[in-house]
Amino acid sequence: MATFLYKLGRLAFRRRHFVALIWVALLTLAGVGAASAPPAGNSSFSIPGTEAQKAFDLLEQRFPGASADGATARVVFKAPSGEKMTDAGNKAAVEKTVDELADGSEVASVADPYTGNAVSKDGTIAYASVKYDVSGMELEETTKDALEDAAEQARDAGLTVEIGGDALQAVPETGATEVIGIAVAAVVLVITFGSLVAAGLPLLTALIGVGIGVSSITALASALELGSTTSILAMMIGLAVGIDYALFIVSRYRAELAEGREREEAAGRAVGTAGSAVVFAGLTVVIALVGLAVVNIPMLTKMGVAAAGTVAIAVLIALTMIPALLGYAGRRVKPAGAKGKRLGRSRKGEPKRDQPAGQPKANLGTRWASFVVRRPLAVLLLGVIGLGAAAVPAASLELGLPDDGSQPTSTTQRRAYDLLSEGFGPGFNGPLMVVVDAKGSDAPKDAFDDVAGEIKGLDGVVAVTPPAPNKGGDTATITVVPDSKPSSVQTEDLVHAIRDAGGDIEAKTGAETLVTGSTAMNIDVSQKLNDALVPYLVLVVGLAFLLLIVVFRSILVPLKAALGFLLSVMAALGAVVAVFQWGWLSGLMGVEETGPVMSMMPIFMVGVVFGLAMDYEVFLVTRMREAYVHGEKPNQAVVTGFKHGARVVTAAAVIMMAVFAGFIGSSESMVKMIGFGLAIAVFFDAFVVRMAIVPAVLALLGKKAWWLPKWLDRALPNVDVEGEGLRTAAERGTGPDEDRELVRV
């Protein structure tokens, strides 16, 4: 592989005009496609194999034209202090609002509070339910404006009016912190390279790659039903890995220049060595993201595949466009040693590669690695205990999906949620819909009544509506209002109780009882994600473990990498629980409402963090293996790996943390949570696991770390990530093209 990538790097350097033209053309094509594509509709949130989804599909079949997936709005009214909603003036204002809402072009129906029993017992709060023909993301802006205008007129009449539901659903905004994240990345790159030109190359290529990826997602969003969150997550991950991958290749290029090589040769060798690590690091990220398909939740699968596509683009750009831009930059990208001269701290005295150690002052990476290999057991214990302490809150993890109750208190959706809780009880915001399929029953009406009566007798039920049958009389819906809020454990227990009671009723009457609605859907999603977590871990970690065996030609190094990842992801989950569930530092993070952690957070973090963790493992440990296979002793190889790789890996981790942390400012709670979780996970993994635990374990293992059974060594392909073939060819005074027998690609 090193030979192939070496040729690719030299070719891109020589044919830089052609390479640049291809990528600019792809960016233009993707941009035109995004600009001309129809607006994305609502992303499909189906959960195959769950009872909630089965009930939803049954409703679509038995209640045609009911717009089961149409947007909804609840316009909530509160009377002024000392008045009631039944007062003549207030009633007239509400009825006028209802009439105006009913005139909307996309409105399917509007329920009058006074005819639909939608006034609270104390008479101070009422609500009107609005049903639309299309989903929230497909509503025209004029329809949303009409909804807000009608509410504003009621406010002018003296009422407090708030709007809940998904009719006002908006594309999430990331805020100014995203730009700050990119700015921090730029500063780190300038400090690392000491050159604006060298620092600008990773930023430029990452932005081009993300531009192509996100524009492609936007162009395909309508056809593939991709939600707005998909493009934000693809941008988040694509920016982080795009900058990092380019950073490693540019750093290796400058190191090769410092060795005295010509620029084209240096570009080829940088892509052949660091580029090999980029390919395998990218593969682990792609495996982790595509592996989300095993959960069998289409929305999660699409998010993973879209983000994986952006990562693949980042890898291709790093391998081709970076050497092309290095050709354009020419002498403006200095050798590694030249940076020290510019900053007034010449590194001429530092030992170059292959020079005897101990003469000049060692860099920080060398000093840290030397300290770790002298005291490996103490460093290992301190790192493991620290991460274990950070992981403690994860034991209290509660899962759920965000609803209007998790919105900031400044939003009308949240205020409507609070008013409904005040007037009708907390369970009113998450009613359960029970669907009774009596097609196999001899007495459907009796079956409907039996189900309603059984549910009324359950604990935790506030209200049960009379069964509402369809035209055929074989299916009915029953609305159940719990006495607890939608995300509570009590509501989850009630859902299971209704389902258990339905089994007994089916045995007696032949009618099947199904529970659906947003609350039941959330419960089923959480259960499905929990059930899929172990198979997903086995698949992703197993495939990556095999890949790392090929890369490192070792059994214990990949095993250590996987165990270190588990430590970092558990510590990151503990931090997420502490902030978003317990409320620690919530004000600093802009978290206005604590509550359950998003259901898909654990499995999504496992996938993304595993891929990113393997990035640092590959980049850092391949340098150690490179030194080891070139004859250094195990402990000295660890120090050499840190000498050449620690500074760059540190910069890469800081950049990735800055990019992820930039998304904490998003208005979307899911994006905010994922941004924080990934940022803290990168911190734990890069600075505790890879920079402390990994060298400590390698120092304790010694030569055993690189042990591989001989039969397996013969069976595995030699991918030559360390560029041994290139090195051997150079020592013989020939080019890789003339010495192919030395390298197995």
Side-chain angles (χ1 to χ4, degrees), residues 299-320:
M299 185 187 76
L300 196 59
T301 300
K302 292 172 185 176
M303 287 167 58
V305 171
T310 308
V311 171
I313 292 171
V315 171
L316 292 174
I317 282 187
L319 298 178
T320 57

Side-chain angles (χ1 to χ4, degrees), residues 97-116:
T97 302
V98 170
D99 291 340
E100 290 180 358
L101 291 172
D103 291 336
S105 59
E106 295 178 307
V107 175
S109 64
V110 180
D112 189 308
Y114 302 103
T115 59

Side-chain angles (χ1 to χ4, degrees), residues 287-528:
I287 288 173
L289 291 170
V290 174
L292 291 169
V294 303
V295 183
N296 196 25
I297 294 179
M299 185 187 76
L300 196 59
T301 300
K302 292 172 185 176
M303 287 167 58
V305 171
T310 308
V311 171
I313 292 171
V315 171
L316 292 174
I317 282 187
L319 298 178
T320 57
M321 196 169 185
I322 281 293
L325 293 179
L326 289 172
Y328 283 119
R331 297 185 179 278
R332 282 170 290 187
V333 176
K334 306 293 184 184
K339 184 190 100 172
K341 296 175 185 177
R342 281 189 65 183
L343 299 179
R345 45 184 181 85
S346 174
R347 286 161 47 191
K348 279 185 177 181
E350 284 189 22
K352 289 188 178 180
R353 197 172 167 185
D354 300 328
Q355 273 188 319
Q359 295 178 358
K361 183 179 179 180
N363 63 20
L364 182 60
T366 303
R367 296 198 299 273
W368 169 250
S370 300
F371 169 78
V372 173
V373 297
R374 287 198 305 270
R375 298 174 177 82
L377 188 59
V379 172
L380 176 62
L381 290 176
L382 186 62
V384 171
I385 292 172
L387 290 178
V392 168
S396 303
L397 178 66
E398 295 178 9
L399 298 177
L401 285 179
D403 55 18
D404 285 348
S406 61
Q407 296 272 5
T409 53
S410 59
T411 62
T412 186
Q413 292 95 329
R414 170 60 188 278
R415 291 196 293 263
Y417 180 98
D418 292 339
L419 283 177
L420 288 171
S421 296
E422 178 188 338
F424 301 92
F428 196 79
N429 283 292
L432 307 175
M433 179 177 287
V434 178
V435 182
V436 185
D437 180 7
K439 202 166 188 178
S441 175
D442 296 331
K445 188 175 184 306
D446 293 340
F448 300 154
D449 293 337
D450 286 347
V451 172
E454 190 75 24
I455 294 173
K456 284 180 182 177
L458 296 175
D459 294 333
V461 174
V462 171
V464 178
T465 64
N470 62 347
K471 290 182 179 179
D474 58 2
T475 308
T477 60
I478 302 171
T479 301
V480 180
V481 179
D483 66 359
S484 51
K485 63 181 183 179
S487 58
S488 68
V489 176
Q490 292 84 352
T491 301
E492 182 177 350
D493 292 341
L494 177 60
V495 170
H496 293 311
I498 294 174
R499 288 172 173 171
D500 292 341
D504 297 334
I505 293 172
E506 183 175 6
K508 293 187 294 184
T509 66
E512 185 179 11
T513 302
L514 305 170
V515 184
T516 188
S518 60
T519 301
M521 194 80 80
N522 291 351
I523 291 170
D524 287 351
V525 168
S526 299
Q527 186 61 50
K528 193 174 183 68

Side-chain angles (χ1 to χ4, degrees), residues 263-286:
R263 294 186 177 274
E264 182 178 328
E265 176 70 11
R269 287 180 173 271
V271 176
T273 52
S276 298
V278 165
V279 169
F280 283 99
L283 272 176
T284 59
V285 180
V286 169

Side-chain angles (χ1 to χ4, degrees), residues 188-255:
V188 173
L189 287 170
V190 171
I191 293 173
T192 303
F193 291 136
S195 163
L196 289 175
V197 174
L201 295 183
L203 280 176
L204 177 62
T205 54
L207 290 173
I208 291 174
V210 167
I212 294 173
V214 173
S215 296
S216 301
I217 291 170
T218 304
L220 298 172
S222 179
L224 301 181
E225 296 184 328
L226 302 177
S228 56
T229 305
T230 302
S231 59
I232 291 179
L233 294 177
M235 181 191 304
M236 183 191 303
I237 296 171
L239 269 178
V241 300
I243 294 173
D244 278 8
Y245 294 165
L247 166 65
F248 284 112
I249 292 179
V250 173
S251 297
R252 188 61 182 250
Y253 171 77
R254 296 177 70 243

